[in-house]
Amino acid sequence: KKILIVGGVAGGATAAARLRRLSEEDQIILFERDEYISFANCGLPYYIGDVITDRQKLLVQTVGGMSKRFNLDIRNFSEVTVIDPDQKTVTVKNHQTGASYTESYDKLILSPGAKPIAPPIPGLAEAKNILTLRNIPDTDKIKAVVDSGQVSRAVVIGGGFIGVEMAENLQELGINVTLVEKMNQVLKPLDFEMAQLVHQEINANGVNLILEDGVDHFQNEGHEVVLESGQVLKADLVILAIGVVPENTLAKQANLKVGPRGHIVTTANYEVFIGENDAVNPDVFAIGDAVEVVDFVTKTPTAIPLAWPANRQGRLVADYINGKKIGNVGIQGTAVAKVFNQTIAATGNNAALLDLKKIPYQVVVAHRSNHAGYYPNATNIALKLLYDPQTLKILGAQAVGQEGTEKRIDVIATAMKLGATVLDLQDFELSYAPPFSSAKDPVNILGYIAE
Ligand code: FAD
């Protein structure tokens, strides 16, 4: 078979490696528009913050290294601009030579990702100091500005994961950071009262957190951010991190079915729908941030732009192409982030989301030590779990704390995937010694409280 892959980072690179493991014979060509493949997107804020100091370490695989290791034909600076599903060809533009050519396929996998939203805010186009963060070139740009020593004040717009991580990393560099968020809380996967703990942490670490206010316009070439409230923030650097939208130019060109927010719609086997009749195309697949997924809890369509789904789908699509049966039960959206000294983790739906969907739920909340209180440096973990009052199945959980916080959410996420009820948590035999937990782990406690 001849298999083409569009996009050479999380989903695309994973699919390529798995395809090769499953078949020595297939011809596999990976197209990446930019210079770098398989880089560590998730590490970028920490490189800007000098936590990761070696730029090389961000490049998980290089074109040369990965081509050789997996016997792949990797073409960087190569953008796929057209898909012709009838002829089963793509058009590729080589950005180094400017030349375009066509390449035929038996199977085509799209993993083009998502890009930062940059709405036409007045003053944005004229500003050179307003930057977004997605890839290595973006990182180099931000790092160069930060390292120039010219940045004493930065404004981060958007309190999602990337915004919060950037605010922390810039603040830790000694820059005065203001974080602006339009909603009344940061980190949407958390319910409001859980997010309040994060707000405290952000404020305690010197970031000026402004909630319920958005950007009205930029002035003075981006050196002043004017908020809807009228407040003016001076900024040497502005990071725009208000969310991402799927990269769907190619999908739209090829008349692929997309969802309400532009995500590529697929079957459970990641096949796309093409044309007026939305017919399933058995030779074109889409994965990663660009696709719509099924919410594991509510079984409704959603989008979860995270690395785990992209990697998992990359593997599954390769399995499917090689004739394996695959299971696709939906995505929970399990996520974790560091906010200064706190760890924030969540899985499944929160109360805000369940309210929106009018799904009934019961709540259990526990505030427990992460390990035995008599062992030094115990810290508190706030845990909130939601479950179905009828079936008692777990619908979601959130935690804010320090050491061991994400471990509890990972246990609950696993339980959810296996269909556990809240009472099953009582019987989980979890590892215990005083430096790590208590004989009754906080996860067990949630089960006891629910009884
Ligand atoms: P990507 O990894 O974005 O890869 C898509 C690639 O396709 C891009 O390189 C793009 O240039 C290329 N491409 C697009 N169109 C074309 C075309 N027409 N032709 C050729 N190439 C094309 N997730 C987590 O779970 N945890 C984290 O801590 C985390 N931190 C993050 C921090 C940052 C700063 C960013 C930006 C993302 C972070 N993510 C994190 C999200 C995670 O990186 C993405 O979910 C994941 O990379 C998605 O994989 P993907 O293959 O769909 O897209």
Side-chain angles (χ1 to χ4, degrees):
K1 290 188 295 297
K2 180 174 175 185
I3 305 169
L4 307 186
I5 303 171
V6 180
V9 191
T14 303
R18 180 72 178 160
L19 284 168
R20 176 56 72 227
R21 287 212 172 91
L22 294 172
S23 162
E24 290 285 332
E25 284 83 44
D26 287 344
Q27 184 187 357
I28 304 165
I29 309 177
L30 180 73
F31 298 103
E32 170 53 53
R33 182 176 57 194
D34 292 333
E35 179 176 358
Y36 303 100
I37 57 152
S38 194
F39 61 86
N41 328 47
C42 312
L44 303 179
Y46 299 97
Y47 172 67
I48 292 166
D50 273 347
V51 179
I52 301 167
T53 49
D54 183 356
R55 186 175 176 281
Q56 256 340 87
K57 292 227 162 99
L58 297 172
L59 309 174
V60 182
Q61 301 268 9
T62 60
V63 172
M66 189 166 177
S67 303
K68 216 161 118 202
R69 181 161 170 217
F70 294 100
N71 181 24
L72 301 168
D73 180 349
I74 301 179
R75 304 183 192 172
N76 57 351
F77 298 111
S78 299
E79 179 166 2
V80 175
T81 54
V82 178
I83 304 170
D84 184 337
D86 297 327
Q87 299 297 318
K88 293 180 70 170
T89 60
V90 298
T91 305
V92 186
K93 180 165 179 152
N94 181 322
H95 284 298
Q96 280 178 313
T97 63
S100 284
Y101 58 96
T102 57
E103 197 70 65
S104 66
Y105 64 81
D106 295 312
K107 301 284 174 192
L108 171 65
I109 301 172
L110 309 175
S111 190
K115 62 182 175 198
I117 304 174
I121 303 172
L124 178 61
E126 295 84 79
K128 291 199 174 58
N129 63 330
I130 305 177
L131 301 171
T132 55
L133 177 61
R134 176 184 184 183
N135 52 30
I136 301 274
D138 296 343
T139 306
D140 289 339
K141 252 193 245 168
I142 297 172
K143 183 107 176 122
V145 176
V146 168
D147 288 353
S148 70
Q150 307 288 307
V151 181
S152 66
R153 281 173 297 206
V155 174
V156 177
I157 301 164
F161 285 113
I162 296 176
V164 168
E165 287 178 357
M166 279 308 299
E168 170 180 340
N169 276 285
L170 293 173
Q171 182 78 15
E172 295 282 27
L173 288 174
I175 295 169
N176 268 313
V177 178
T178 300
L179 177 61
V180 181
E181 166 56 52
K182 182 114 170 97
M183 298 203 319
N184 64 353
Q185 66 163 87
V186 299
L187 301 177
K188 243 166 62 178
L190 296 180
D191 284 320
F192 180 73
E193 75 281 7
M194 299 293 279
Q196 290 282 50
L197 302 170
V198 185
H199 300 159
Q200 278 168 20
E201 182 71 8
I202 291 173
N203 284 319
N205 283 278
V207 171
N208 173 27
L209 176 63
I210 300 178
L211 297 169
E212 295 183 87
D213 207 350
V215 178
D216 184 75
H217 64 278
F218 299 104
Q219 61 190 28
N220 192 7
E221 292 185 328
H223 291 282
E224 287 178 339
V225 183
V226 183
L227 301 182
E228 287 161 356
S229 62
Q231 189 176 350
V232 180
L233 304 168
K234 293 204 181 304
D236 306 306
L237 168 69
V238 178
I239 304 289
L240 199 57
I242 54 176
V244 295
V245 282
E247 282 264 9
N248 61 11
T249 320
L250 194 56
K252 284 189 168 158
Q253 171 279 320
N255 207 6
L256 266 53
K257 184 178 180 184
V258 295
R261 289 191 288 142
H263 298 88
I264 303 170
V265 181
T266 73
T267 65
N269 296 321
Y270 307 107
E271 297 142 312
V272 303
F273 299 87
I274 298 185
E276 312 246 300
N277 309 322
D278 287 341
V280 174
N281 188 302
D283 302 316
V284 183
F285 302 84
I287 55 171
D289 285 0
V291 306
E292 199 173 84
V293 295
V294 172
D295 182 318
F296 173 79
V297 174
T298 61
K299 307 297 176 209
T300 52
T302 185
I304 299 181
L306 288 173
W308 188 90
N311 278 274
R312 179 73 182 141
Q313 293 157 0
R315 184 180 172 103
L316 291 178
V317 79
D319 284 356
Y320 184 73
I321 287 173
N322 280 279
K324 288 178 181 279
K325 224 172 137 38
I326 60 170
N328 175 359
V329 292
I331 300 296
Q332 289 163 271
T334 307
V336 61
K338 171 182 176 304
V339 182
F340 295 99
N341 296 311
Q342 297 280 354
T343 302
I344 283 82
T347 186
N349 282 212
N350 63 13
L353 215 59
L354 293 169
D355 285 339
L356 206 69
K357 295 177 189 163
K358 300 196 166 48
I359 294 172
Y361 59 86
Q362 294 254 288
V363 179
V364 273
V365 173
H367 292 263
R368 308 297 290 195
S369 288
N370 66 330
H371 61 62
Y374 56 79
Y375 187 86
N377 305 323
T379 52
N380 185 61
I381 301 180
L383 273 159
K384 176 176 181 178
L385 180 139
L386 305 115
Y387 64 95
D388 184 314
Q390 233 92 57
T391 64
L392 304 187
K393 286 218 170 150
I394 303 164
L395 303 171
Q398 305 150 48
V400 179
Q402 298 184 32
E403 222 178 311
T405 300
E406 75 289 356
K407 159 170 125 173
R408 273 59 188 218
I409 289 299
D410 283 342
V411 168
I412 296 169
T414 310
M416 276 177 75
K417 188 104 319 147
L418 299 176
T421 69
V422 66
L423 297 182
D424 289 330
L425 298 180
Q426 298 180 355
D427 202 33
F428 283 11
E429 188 181 333
L430 302 175
S431 57
Y432 161 64
F436 304 101
S437 183
S438 301
K440 282 199 283 285
D441 188 89
V443 171
N444 300 138
I445 297 289
L446 287 171
Y448 289 124
I449 298 174
E451 190 173 287

